[in-house]
Amino acid sequence: MLEPARTESGTIYDIGYQNYDGVRLGRRYAIWSLFVHGLGAVFAKGRGFRAGLIPFVLAAAVVVPAAFQALATAYTNGVFELLTYSNYFLTISTVFAFFCAARAPELMSTDQRTRTLVLYLARALHREDYVLAKVMALVTTVLFLTLTPLLILFAGHVFSSTDLWAGFRAEADQLLPILASSVAMALVMGTVSTAIASLTPRRSLAAAAVLGYFMVSRVVVEILGTSVGATWVRWLQLLDPFVALGGFSDWVFGNVLSQFLDPEVSGWRFAGACVTYVLVGGAVLITRYRKAGA
Amino acid sequence: MKLLSTDRLTMRYPGGVLALDDLTLDLEPGLIGLVGANGAGKSTFIKLLLGLLQPTAGRATVLGLDPSTDPIEVRQRIGYLPEHDCLPTDISAADFITHMARMSGLPRASARERAAEMLRHVGLYEARYRTMDGYSTGMKQRVKLAQALVHDPRLLLLDEPTNGLDPAGRDQMLELIRRTGKQFGISVLVSSHLLGEIERVCDHLVAIDAGRLVRSARIGVFTAHTAALAIAVDHGRDELKAWLARAGAIAEDDGRGGLFVPLEDDEQAYDLVRDGASELGLPLVRLQRTRRQLQDLFRATAPDPSLESAGAAPRDPS
């Protein structure tokens, strides 16, 4: 029997080592666990009330306007409609920008700052798996935040009709566009903001960079749009992801009175821009993590 | 089964730095020390074994698997303790180790159970629900050991585990490593730039310098040659060296103006030095049995002048 070893914070009693011979669930389980862990990180799970305040307030700011609009729609039978399916994201895009700027660094920068990244990479998953789990955690959160208000608006429309079933059927063809525009929003916002945040281990810098990108691109694009009328400017405007997303929403909802769409500009342009955002964001992430932590 | 073997393993970083040069090794299970000065290639070697880096040439086999083609299989069987800080601050040790266990594929309940067990093994059972920002360096180092052990690996790769610890912390860490290797039946590869530490816990020693293998041998073989006589004379050092060479004893410069003579079992070197000094009429000011430092070991086994310019051995400023 060995003497128990004394340490500064306790006593090590040797009661023998047990080998682990249970199941090892492998790579897919590891990715899933990291994804779930990431969802917790987005909402500051286990970090106390104060840390959780920002994500929840921002999430509420995204959802609550839709609830008011839905009530208004239901009471006025759709006469008073400030927020529509297609303009919703654009109207509250600033809140989305803040949400992503606040949460993407939590997912991407923290592991780099504390250098925990290498511990993940030394385990049962690949570099790409790590990136995928983290990005999908933010994408899923944003999807939840985009889908929820649109479904609330949807409910408002359904309840504005006296016959609920008829109301539902009248509104049902909006469900697919709701899903399409929400998924586009989630993928673009999620990949772009995680890609930017992954570039620096400093959380505050990452937050500023994400917010800066969304805000500066918008201001530049707006100045260009009002001062220069040339057709190439309309291409340049796609550098603001919210222009790409707004145009895409208008297109899928068949909104003809759009600020983006006209006979000259096809909706495919915005769809293509959204895909490009996701691809470029993905490429930045893959390149970044090819070296990181090695 | 072989624990690990490498065949002409070479790693050149994109910047052009040659971190490992043609390393060929065969190691049996056990407690293995990896010694070398800072920058000798120890961390690079460990990262190649983990499959975190791809070798530029040659190959490695760990537990019968190739980490560059089968990294996940290899990593499930390896625990890794990095040289640098790698712990998040705002989470408790218990939660963190549980999370890491799940990253290695352990189901939630087993992960939690193993995490508690490992934290008890490293002596952090009472502190396990505190967030780690309040932990001392020694405690953090032990959390790092616990996360490396939590998935019951067959091999532990410990990169400078005693770094930054005070003497007491060092002793505890070394004792933990020794206990882990001897009683748990887990093979350990522990890197250090301090030979003394490695000697205390390991039974096999691998010395690398500037990316090259200097020596790989059982610890006894290694330390037998580290006993030596340190000699200093006021003048006539080179004459004494030549005299000793004629008498059959190879003396080397110790880099500080004196000489080293390897001390064999018969301890004849004492008499030789005394005779040489008296015959030449030299003022012998030091004749002392000493243990040679790691850098002296390198000088003795790899008499390559380029080693010194590579910064492997500290040069005498005088």
Side-chain angles (χ1 to χ4, degrees):
Chain A
M1 183 68 201
L2 271 129
E3 284 287 297
R6 295 222 159 255
T7 73
E8 67 215 68
S9 60
T11 306
I12 306 170
Y13 291 100
D14 186 35
I15 58 161
Y17 180 76
Q18 306 267 304
N19 281 100
Y20 176 74
D21 20 69
V23 280
R24 288 173 197 264
L25 295 164
R27 181 178 159 210
R28 257 197 267 170
Y29 169 81
I31 299 173
W32 173 254
S33 304
L34 187 56
F35 168 73
V36 173
H37 180 80
L39 288 181
V42 171
F43 286 105
K45 177 179 165 253
R47 299 272 311 280
F49 177 74
R50 270 166 51 123
L53 207 57
I54 292 172
F56 276 104
V57 165
L58 288 173
V62 171
V63 177
V64 168
F68 279 109
Q69 177 60 55
L71 282 176
T73 310
Y75 274 107
T76 64
N77 285 334
V79 177
F80 177 79
E81 195 166 27
L82 207 60
L83 292 168
T84 64
Y85 295 130
S86 61
N87 79 4
Y88 193 84
F89 300 147
L90 220 54
T91 314
I92 54 162
S93 60
T94 313
V95 186
F96 273 108
F98 268 99
F99 185 84
C100 287
R103 303 326 291 167
E106 190 64 43
L107 284 169
M108 310 310 283
S109 310
T110 308
D111 285 345
Q112 292 184 46
R113 195 195 65 230
T114 58
R115 304 184 74 178
T116 313
L117 181 58
V118 72
L119 295 185
Y120 286 104
L121 299 180
R123 287 174 189 274
L125 71 175
H126 292 296
R127 286 162 196 273
E128 302 79 40
D129 301 340
Y130 172 86
V131 174
L132 185 74
K134 291 282 190 172
V135 173
M136 288 321 283
L138 189 63
V139 167
T140 308
T141 317
V142 177
L143 183 64
F144 173 74
L145 292 183
T146 52
L147 214 47
T148 311
L150 291 193
L151 289 176
I152 291 174
L153 290 183
F154 180 85
H157 280 285
V158 172
F159 283 105
S160 72
S161 155
T162 40
D163 179 0
L164 288 189
W165 176 236
F168 178 81
R169 273 194 312 181
E171 206 59 21
D173 55 351
Q174 300 293 331
L175 281 174
L176 205 60
I178 285 175
L179 191 65
S181 64
S182 298
V183 167
M185 180 84 175
L187 283 173
V188 171
M189 294 292 289
T191 14
V192 169
S193 45
T194 45
I196 296 173
S198 75
L199 296 176
T200 168
R202 296 178 53 187
R203 240 182 336 190
S204 50
L205 193 63
V210 174
L211 195 62
Y213 172 69
F214 288 131
M215 293 296 138
V216 171
S217 68
R218 167 179 307 173
V219 171
V220 169
V221 160
E222 256 174 41
I223 291 170
L224 279 172
T226 49
S227 56
V228 191
T231 44
W232 56 267
V233 173
R234 305 203 63 167
W235 283 99
L236 216 60
Q237 283 181 321
L238 295 173
L239 285 177
D240 177 359
F242 289 112
V243 168
L245 289 164
F248 181 75
S249 286
D250 281 343
W251 182 51
V252 294
F253 284 108
N255 187 352
V256 283
L257 297 168
S258 163
Q259 55 169 313
F260 305 110
L261 297 165
D262 57 44
E264 281 172 44
V265 181
S266 151
W268 287 107
R269 177 184 292 190
F270 301 105
C274 290
V275 172
T276 311
Y277 270 112
V278 175
L279 292 180
V280 170
V284 168
L285 284 162
I286 296 292
T287 320
R288 171 69 182 160
Y289 282 92
R290 190 163 291 161
K291 296 257 172 61
Chain B
M1 191 180 69
K2 282 253 162 44
L3 179 68
L4 65 91
S5 58
T6 62
D7 179 27
R8 314 203 60 165
L9 193 66
T10 303
M11 179 68 204
R12 188 183 286 280
Y13 284 106
V17 178
L18 187 64
L20 274 191
D21 189 6
D22 223 21
L23 197 73
T24 301
L25 260 181
D26 264 315
L27 295 171
E28 300 293 330
L31 275 155
I32 300 146
L34 178 66
V35 281
N38 290 329
K42 302 186 298 286
S43 295
T44 303
F45 182 59
I46 287 175
K47 281 175 183 166
L48 284 166
L49 297 180
L50 278 164
L52 289 178
L53 292 172
Q54 292 291 320
T56 29
R59 56 173 290 172
T61 312
V62 184
L63 303 159
L65 297 158
D66 185 340
S68 65
T69 56
D70 235 350
I72 292 202
E73 286 294 304
V74 172
R75 287 184 214 135
Q76 282 197 327
R77 295 166 173 77
I78 294 187
Y80 171 48
L81 180 149
E83 180 180 12
H84 51 73
D85 272 351
C86 59
L87 301 177
T89 49
D90 51 10
I91 175 174
S92 73
D95 283 348
F96 178 66
I97 306 285
T98 305
H99 178 54
M100 281 295 138
R102 299 185 71 196
M103 288 299 107
S104 286
L106 270 64
R108 188 191 293 269
S110 320
R112 193 162 293 148
E113 202 177 299
R114 291 274 315 171
E117 211 174 293
M118 287 309 109
L119 284 166
R120 187 179 53 221
H121 170 62
V122 301
L124 287 173
Y125 200 68
E126 283 92 27
R128 70 191 190 282
Y129 293 126
R130 274 166 42 197
T131 58
M132 293 189 280
D133 45 4
Y135 280 19
S136 69
T137 311
M139 292 164 84
K140 284 182 183 165
Q141 214 59 17
R142 283 184 275 147
V143 175
K144 281 161 71 178
L145 183 65
Q147 67 80 29
L149 273 170
V150 73
H151 53 296
D152 189 24
R154 299 322 320 141
L155 168 64
L156 272 182
L157 301 176
L158 311 177
D159 199 352
E160 301 267 4
T162 56
N163 238 4
L165 298 180
D166 57 21
R170 244 164 227 275
D171 290 347
Q172 285 168 9
M173 180 51 79
L174 291 171
E175 170 58 19
L176 266 174
I177 294 168
R178 200 193 57 76
R179 188 192 287 243
T180 305
K182 297 282 184 221
Q183 293 172 13
F184 293 13
I186 297 173
S187 289
V188 184
L189 179 85
V190 48
S191 88
S192 176
H193 57 279
L194 301 168
L195 182 62
E197 288 190 345
I198 298 288
E199 274 179 0
R200 280 169 54 189
V201 291
C202 297
D203 26 63
H204 192 100
L205 189 55
V206 176
I208 59 173
D209 188 71
R212 293 230 178 105
L213 179 68
V214 176
R215 194 122 193 227
S216 167
R218 291 199 55 76
I219 201 99
V221 178
F222 231 104
T223 46
H225 291 281
T226 62
L229 281 183
I231 303 159
V233 283
D234 267 351
H235 57 82
R237 187 188 65 154
D238 294 336
E239 287 135 84
L240 181 61
K241 192 176 173 183
W243 190 94
L244 286 168
R246 281 196 301 278
I250 307 301
E252 301 142 23
D253 295 348
D254 66 359
R256 291 176 289 273
L259 291 173
F260 267 134
V261 179
L263 198 55
E264 305 296 339
D265 288 341
D266 55 8
E267 308 212 325
Q268 221 182 8
Y270 282 108
D271 297 345
L272 272 178
V273 171
R274 181 202 59 205
D275 296 348
S278 97
E279 193 167 307
L280 295 169
L282 298 175
L284 187 64
V285 295
R286 186 181 181 206
L287 178 65
Q288 185 181 25
R289 187 193 173 96
T290 175
R291 179 177 292 287
R292 286 192 291 179
Q293 300 299 304
L294 189 56
Q295 54 265 36
D296 303 319
L297 208 71
F298 286 139
R299 192 177 300 130
T301 45
D304 180 355
S306 71
L307 278 183
E308 305 234 359
S309 56
R315 269 169 295 173
D316 194 343
S318 56

